[in-house]
Amino acid sequence: MVSKRFSVLDLLSLELKGNDSLDLRCICGRRGLVRQISIPDLNRPGLALSGFFDSFAYQRVQLFGRGEVAYLNSILQNGQTDSVKSLFAYPLPCCVFTHGLQPPQVFIDMAEDADCPVLSTGLESSDFSTRLMRVLSNIFAPRLTMHGVLIEVYGLGILILGDSGVGKSENALALIERGHRLVADDIVEIACLNGNSLIGQGANKYIGHHMEIRGLGIINITQLFGVGAIRERKEVQIIVKLEEWDAGKSYDRLGTDQKTMDILGVQVPLLEIPVRPGRNIPIIIETAAMNERLKSMGVFSAKEFNKNVLRWLETDAVQSPYYDADDSY
């Protein structure tokens, strides 16, 4: 598991673009930029500004929208500063003013004295809340790293696991040559989002799209196959475990019993594929991906096969010879 320390300065330093951009800038309280954000949630301090601090969620980022700013201006113009002083008596991570609003100078002075960072964004409160929650949920998501290869096959994220030397990278390379896309090789970082979605990516974005092929060395997938052969992140939807063929082991031949692997509390379909000379593993993985897509559409080939066999056994063509033979005794 990966523990995460995340400060207000880290929040300001995030390189977010497009619909993920937070458009944040620091107004005051720069000495407090080292304060840690420990909870991926927001709080709107309207009740605190009115003097009610029971169950005050001071550990969260404090969001000031138009309503909070209007009330703040009202009480400060009347010289009522006690609630604001009480607010800054708590170790707030930071305060964020939306809609490009500016806090009153009195508020800025008290924030400076308390070393509390005050940030501003041009986004609306609802838009900023959605974006920040998405960013913080991703940052604070439970994580782990696994030794394997993550590749996208027919739109499904397949994590290939197995002992060193079993052929994970070689089979992934064959899949890439067949038009599929590499997400990460060797070290895969997996984050659990929303408690039910596993998102995998390379542990290091600078070397994530390189592969080590024994006898060949390090190769750059982007340069060899183009940007269409890679992607940055992908949900882990199937796990393929490659292992050396064991003649004494009974392998699944029907597919009626679905095995799973637990990763961060999420059960992921698991396929154990034995490797030996003559087996075309890339084609087997492609077929597994297509079969999983069929399952998502409600088509279970193994179950349909069982039903068809039972239906055939119940037909007269099978029953008649049986009963006729029984009558002869």
Side-chain angles (χ1 to χ4, degrees):
M1 298 291 290
V2 179
S3 60
K4 190 74 177 181
R5 290 179 58 84
F6 189 73
S7 68
V8 180
L9 182 59
D10 292 329
L11 180 64
L12 286 169
S13 301
L14 291 176
E15 297 180 0
L16 303 173
K17 299 178 181 178
N19 292 330
D20 289 327
S21 175
L22 298 176
D23 189 29
L24 285 171
R25 63 185 183 89
C26 183
I27 297 175
C28 64
R30 287 176 172 77
R31 290 192 301 268
L33 289 177
V34 294
R35 291 191 178 189
Q36 299 296 310
I37 299 174
S38 59
I39 297 180
D41 207 345
L42 295 164
N43 181 62
R44 303 194 71 156
L47 287 175
L49 291 175
S50 68
F52 185 81
F53 287 91
D54 289 359
S55 300
F56 175 44
Y58 65 88
Q59 306 96 330
R60 304 178 183 179
V61 173
Q62 304 299 310
L63 182 65
F64 289 76
R66 285 175 174 167
E68 288 82 6
V69 172
Y71 183 71
L72 180 64
N73 286 326
S74 175
I75 62 174
L76 291 180
Q77 287 174 2
N78 294 328
Q80 302 174 18
T81 60
D82 291 344
S83 61
V84 180
K85 290 179 181 178
S86 299
L87 181 74
F88 285 120
Y90 290 88
L92 310 176
C94 65
C95 299
V96 179
F97 286 73
T98 60
H99 298 88
L101 297 169
Q102 293 290 319
Q105 187 60 44
V106 177
F107 186 92
I108 292 177
D109 294 339
M110 286 189 283
E112 285 283 8
D113 293 339
D115 291 338
C116 178
V118 176
L119 314 179
S120 176
T121 176
L123 299 173
E124 296 181 357
S125 298
S126 58
D127 193 11
F128 176 78
S129 299
T130 301
R131 297 188 187 193
L132 182 62
M133 290 292 293
R134 184 168 64 242
V135 169
L136 293 181
S137 295
N138 184 36
I139 289 171
F140 286 96
R143 297 173 185 271
L144 59 76
T145 55
M146 301 185 71
H147 178 67
V149 182
L150 181 57
I151 191 165
E152 182 191 66
V153 179
Y154 295 131
L156 294 181
I158 297 181
L159 178 62
I160 304 176
L161 304 178
D163 294 335
S164 180
V166 76
K168 298 185 296 296
S169 296
E170 288 81 358
N171 285 292
L173 181 61
L175 287 167
I176 294 168
E177 198 275 333
R178 293 171 66 88
H180 305 293
R181 298 199 285 180
L182 174 70
V183 181
D185 179 59
D186 195 28
I187 302 298
V188 182
E189 182 182 87
I190 300 175
C192 180
L193 303 184
N194 304 317
N196 59 6
S197 180
L198 298 174
I199 304 298
Q201 62 183 13
N204 187 316
K205 66 179 181 179
Y206 298 105
I207 63 175
H209 294 132
H210 291 71
M211 296 185 75
E212 177 192 354
I213 305 297
R214 284 177 172 81
L216 184 61
I218 304 297
I219 60 174
N220 188 316
I221 297 299
T222 308
Q223 293 178 351
L224 284 174
F225 296 94
V227 294
I230 63 168
R231 66 173 299 164
E232 296 299 323
R233 311 168 75 215
K234 181 62 184 176
E235 181 179 0
V236 179
Q237 295 158 291
I238 308 176
I239 297 175
V240 171
K241 184 178 180 182
L242 303 181
E243 58 182 53
E244 297 289 347
W245 185 283
D246 183 358
K249 182 175 179 179
S250 178
Y251 294 102
D252 187 8
R253 300 184 65 179
L254 294 179
T256 54
D257 297 327
Q258 178 68 70
K259 294 183 179 180
T260 60
M261 176 182 286
D262 183 284
I263 299 180
L264 297 173
V266 179
Q267 298 297 324
V268 185
L270 170 66
L271 300 175
E272 294 178 336
I273 299 179
V275 178
R276 70 174 181 181
R279 300 203 83 201
N280 195 324
I281 304 301
I283 288 182
I284 294 176
I285 294 176
E286 284 184 332
T287 305
M290 290 187 286
N291 192 48
E292 193 65 26
R293 292 188 66 178
L294 278 176
K295 289 181 181 179
S296 68
M297 296 175 353
V299 179
F300 293 81
S301 301
K303 294 181 180 179
E304 289 293 327
F305 176 80
N306 274 352
K307 289 180 181 178
N308 290 335
V309 170
L310 291 174
R311 192 177 297 115
W312 173 72
L313 291 174
E314 293 172 354
T315 61
D316 292 338
V318 176
Q319 293 179 6
S320 295
Y322 172 78
Y323 288 120
D324 291 344
D326 186 58
D327 293 341
S328 65
Y329 290 97

